[in-house]
Amino acid sequence: MVKNVYERSVDPATRAMLLEADRAGIETAWDRFEKQQPQCGFGQLGICCRNCNMGPCRIDPFGEGPEKGVCGATADIIVARNLLRMIAAGAAAHSDHARDAVLAFKQMAEGKAQSYQIKDDAKLNALAAEYNISTEDRSKEEVALDLANVLLSEFGKQTGPIQFTRRAPEKRLKIWEAVGIEPRGIDREIVECMHRTHMGVDNDPVHLLLQGLRTGLADGWGGSMIATDVQDVLFGTPTPTMSESNLGVLKSDEVNIIVHGHEPILSEMIVAAAEDPEMIALAKKMGAKGISVAGICCTGNEVLMRHGVPAAGNFLQQELAVITGAVEAMVVDVQCVMPALGSLASCYHTKFISTSPKADFPGTVRMEYHEEKALDTAKEIVKTAVENYANRDAGRVNIPKDKSACMVGFSAEAILGALGGTPQPLIEAIVSGAVKGVGAVVGCNNPKVQHDYGHLNLVRELIKNDVLVVTTGCNAIACAKAGLLKPEAAKEAGPGLRAVCESLGVPPVLHMGSCVDISRILVLAAALANHLGVDISDLPAAGAAPEWMSEKAVSIGAYVIASGVYTVLGTVPPVLGSPKVTGVLTKGVGDVVGATFAVEPDPFKAAGLMIGHIQEKRKGLGLKT
Amino acid sequence: MKEILIRPERCMGCRSCEIACAVEHSQTKSLFGAVAEKPVPRKRVYVEFAPEYSISVPMVCRHCEDAPCVSVCATGALSQDGIIRVVTHDMEACIGCWTCASVCNYGMIGRNKEQRIAIKCDWCPDLELPACVSACHTGALVYKEVEEFSGSKRAEAALKLARGVTAGESR
Ligand code: SF4
Ligand code: SF4
């Protein structure tokens, strides 16, 4: 077991908690992953179909058995349909999150959600300008209401365009139009994926994959981008701030509340409620020194970016947080929340509180929130957590000491701000070769990869080679824990990047936010491309998702390559059962959108692929390599 | 000697054993590598469906104590280890006459299409547990000594009988 622990994660806090889990006889995702071995070959290759009840059908990957499903679908068709459904699910998750953010924004504008205010007037006005909404002689709320309504209409639009796609460079828009993948409306593309993959509809692999790219774009330049921007207006656009990360941020003498999931709508209120003097007084009465909020996954990233609320860990650490025995409440909303938390929490005093009207789990205390009384619900949740402090068993508390300082909050606006309002200094650094290019490293954890090993080694390799890294999601938290988000981490960078970071006082790895905030990376890429008068696919830039696992990651992959960014995946997507689909994704699509996927589980080799691609693009721009 | 024994009542027909078998007998020994290989890796275990009973049965070479396939093989391609009894097949010596296939009562001789020779189970010499057995999630395939396997079946049956006796007493 001890050996196992080292094989499972490179993160010291995670290793400590896995030992604790072992001692306590508690099972985690890693144990369940082992019990699933070997995993189904048909599933891994993507060649099983359950889309109708003549099936399920499977294709023999070795050609001895069936080559077609009952309907006649080949491996190519089945793989493409399955992939399209993954993209649809991922795009739906991001976009439905966006819808809720806009609905909260609308209620706020109508004065029905008193808990929320407009925190960023400048961004409100900028968005209004994009939509031609007049701001003159109008109250903020009037403008916000108009904006909320046009944003809501993006979901139900039938013929496009989704306004934010207009942020992409002219050349990119032309490609989308020519290929026929310009999204027409967010919900429309997702629904159409479900229609096309129904038995007997779309059965041409390439035709299916193009719809995948279009749906991805509806997510990246639609749903995700709307989520980011509306949340910025409501909660403030992030600016650089210091914080801490890893399980060591949990406090042995305070009430610990974890916010986990993906939306800031409620967690913002929890952060506010935890600062309420009445609640703090109650905590003191219960014998605690105070109330401490920490985040996991992207809800964590949202409050980390805007308030410097520490991040307790990334995706695979959610169970470990409970195993510290020091968490009074694990408050969850949507996405990436393991149903395992229910039975786990019942082994401890932790209250597992589900809050989203959409998401419940076994073993939860249900405290559903609604926009109209968000702060009241948040206070109730905090009160529940504080009262639960009395049930904490000090004998079972085992908080690892590991944590690291981190500088976070690099929204596109903040990065441009740090550069003096224009991308010119960054472009100069790239032109001079001090900075070779930009690597976007994002995505989840996955027990198929040693936890954080893929993330950290890939990022370290990139910065060592003078590639500036922008990060979001669970990669960002991995980097934060490992100290890569400290300005001093510039020491780990190559000489060129190091000098640039030191002169600006920023780390070589810039935390740009949650997974929906990959839209910030798109905006930044578009700003660089527009400034240079080129397309995004001409930029010396590459993306990677070293430990990805979720369907959202598949949608992200689709919009990132459709936007022109070469992307390296660290875990194998379920497509290898179809030589055709594999060929299109790793080669053919390049002729269409100027970017392809590669799969490379070894982070060092993955970095090599990205750097090679960046050098090639430098050559293309006539820059020295 | 351990055998691959079958508990057909547990088979769900998922064919995981077949895939694992082909992968173990591939050059790369990895699923993702195996699907792209030429010659195509071949399985040596077969999930047969009996529609009359709606039951799937994983069929695997018995490595018969007195193996007919070995007795009839004219070139000595099929041979049996005197101690561990495994019946192995030498690809070089095989002439593809299919005499072995004619005499095997279980249909366990397969065909390597590219090389046009016979192909059969080898109990995965590189593995402690044959690939098909470790791939089976429901325990329809087990790797045990006959004594142990029959012993546990006997114990199960005895338990049922014992239950009957006690039920009779209490009546
Ligand atoms: S849609 Fe075709 S391949 Fe899929 S389950 Fe139905 S018959 Fe089988
Ligand atoms: S191939 Fe058939 S005859 Fe030969 S050992 Fe196996 S089961 Fe017996």
Side-chain angles (χ1 to χ4, degrees), chain A residues 374-410:
Chain A
L375 190 57
D376 298 338
T377 312
K379 276 191 189 157
E380 247 172 79
I381 291 171
V382 171
K383 187 155 171 258
T384 307
V386 169
E387 287 169 349
N388 194 28
Y389 187 75
N391 298 321
R392 188 193 286 191
D393 178 351
R396 288 184 79 190
V397 172
N398 179 357
I399 304 173
K401 58 182 187 333
D402 313 271
K403 61 177 173 183
S404 173
C406 52
M407 185 186 256
V408 301
F410 291 95

Side-chain angles (χ1 to χ4, degrees), chain A residues 294-623:
Chain A
I296 286 182
C297 283
C298 283
T299 288
N301 277 323
E302 298 280 1
V303 287
L304 171 67
M305 290 283 284
R306 295 197 178 86
H307 304 284
V309 168
N314 50 9
F315 173 68
L316 274 177
Q317 290 178 287
Q318 54 187 287
E319 293 174 281
L320 309 181
V322 176
I323 294 171
T324 62
V327 173
E328 274 59 53
M330 168 71 82
V331 186
V332 302
D333 47 49
V334 291
Q335 300 168 22
C336 303
V337 177
M338 291 191 192
L341 286 175
S343 52
L344 175 64
S346 72
C347 300
Y348 290 85
H349 76 300
T350 306
K351 291 222 187 302
F352 180 28
I353 303 176
S354 68
T355 62
S356 164
K358 284 172 204 165
D360 200 6
F361 306 82
T364 52
V365 179
R366 194 92 181 110
M367 299 181 83
E368 209 173 286
Y369 83 91
H370 295 277
E371 290 80 0
E372 319 85 64
K373 48 181 186 62
L375 190 57
D376 298 338
T377 312
K379 276 191 189 157
E380 247 172 79
I381 291 171
V382 171
K383 187 155 171 258
T384 307
V386 169
E387 287 169 349
N388 194 28
Y389 187 75
N391 298 321
R392 188 193 286 191
D393 178 351
R396 288 184 79 190
V397 172
N398 179 357
I399 304 173
K401 58 182 187 333
D402 313 271
K403 61 177 173 183
S404 173
C406 52
M407 185 186 256
V408 301
F410 291 95
S411 55
E413 290 86 340
I415 292 176
L416 293 177
L419 295 169
T422 141
Q424 189 57 32
L426 178 57
I427 285 169
E428 276 161 24
I430 291 174
V431 169
S432 78
V435 174
K436 290 255 150 34
V438 181
V441 190
V442 303
C444 334
N445 293 136
N446 185 329
K448 288 180 177 173
V449 182
Q450 187 184 22
H451 172 238
D452 289 351
Y453 173 87
H455 286 315
L456 298 179
N457 287 303
L458 177 55
V459 168
R460 286 207 165 99
E461 260 326 275
L462 291 175
I463 61 171
K464 219 196 287 170
N465 285 283
D466 290 319
V467 174
L468 173 70
V469 171
V470 290
T471 173
T472 65
C474 284
N475 177 275
I477 300 176
C479 292
K481 291 185 293 174
L484 288 168
L485 303 189
K486 287 190 287 198
E488 302 89 83
K491 289 193 190 72
E492 293 196 43
L497 177 60
R498 176 177 178 172
V500 170
C501 292
E502 285 177 349
S503 76
L504 292 169
V506 299
V509 182
L510 302 179
H511 188 342
M512 293 191 72
S514 64
C515 290
V516 292
D517 291 340
I518 294 174
S519 65
R520 299 191 198 277
I521 302 180
L522 296 179
V523 167
L524 185 68
L528 289 175
N530 284 334
H531 202 81
L532 284 166
V534 298
D535 193 359
I536 294 176
S537 57
D538 300 322
L539 295 174
E547 304 182 17
W548 77 274
M549 63 87 198
S550 77
E551 290 169 316
K552 291 179 289 175
V554 185
S555 174
I556 293 167
Y559 73 68
V560 169
I561 65 154
S563 300
V565 181
Y566 169 73
T567 298
V568 185
L569 304 174
T571 66
V572 183
V575 300
L576 295 193
S578 162
K580 172 112 189 184
V581 172
T582 307
V584 169
L585 295 177
T586 56
K587 248 185 121 170
V589 71
D591 302 333
V592 180
V593 295
T596 58
F597 283 110
V599 177
E600 180 48 71
D602 179 332
F604 298 94
K605 289 188 191 152
L609 289 174
M610 292 170 76
I611 294 163
H613 176 84
I614 285 172
Q615 294 289 28
E616 210 158 281
K617 293 294 164 182
R618 291 184 64 87
K619 227 183 274 167
L621 288 172
L623 304 176

Side-chain angles (χ1 to χ4, degrees), chain B residues 145-162:
Chain B
E145 311 232 349
V146 173
E147 288 83 347
E148 193 192 346
F149 183 75
S150 292
S152 55
K153 287 207 110 167
R154 218 160 32 235
E156 246 172 68
L159 186 67
K160 276 185 205 150
L161 284 181

Side-chain angles (χ1 to χ4, degrees), chain B residues 16-79:
Chain B
S16 297
C17 52
E18 293 184 349
I19 299 244
C21 178
V23 170
E24 179 56 25
H25 295 92
S26 69
Q27 292 156 40
T28 56
K29 299 210 176 200
S30 89
L31 174 69
F32 298 142
V35 287
E37 277 176 30
K38 292 273 167 333
V40 178
R42 297 262 161 243
K43 66 186 181 197
R44 295 109 205 272
V45 52
Y46 306 86
V47 177
E48 287 296 311
F49 183 60
E52 300 86 336
Y53 301 98
S54 292
I55 279 182
S56 299
V57 185
M59 298 290 289
V60 58
C61 171
R62 309 309 324 140
H63 296 267
C64 311
E65 300 273 1
D66 184 3
C69 61
V70 175
S71 331
V72 301
C73 182
T75 66
L78 282 164
S79 63

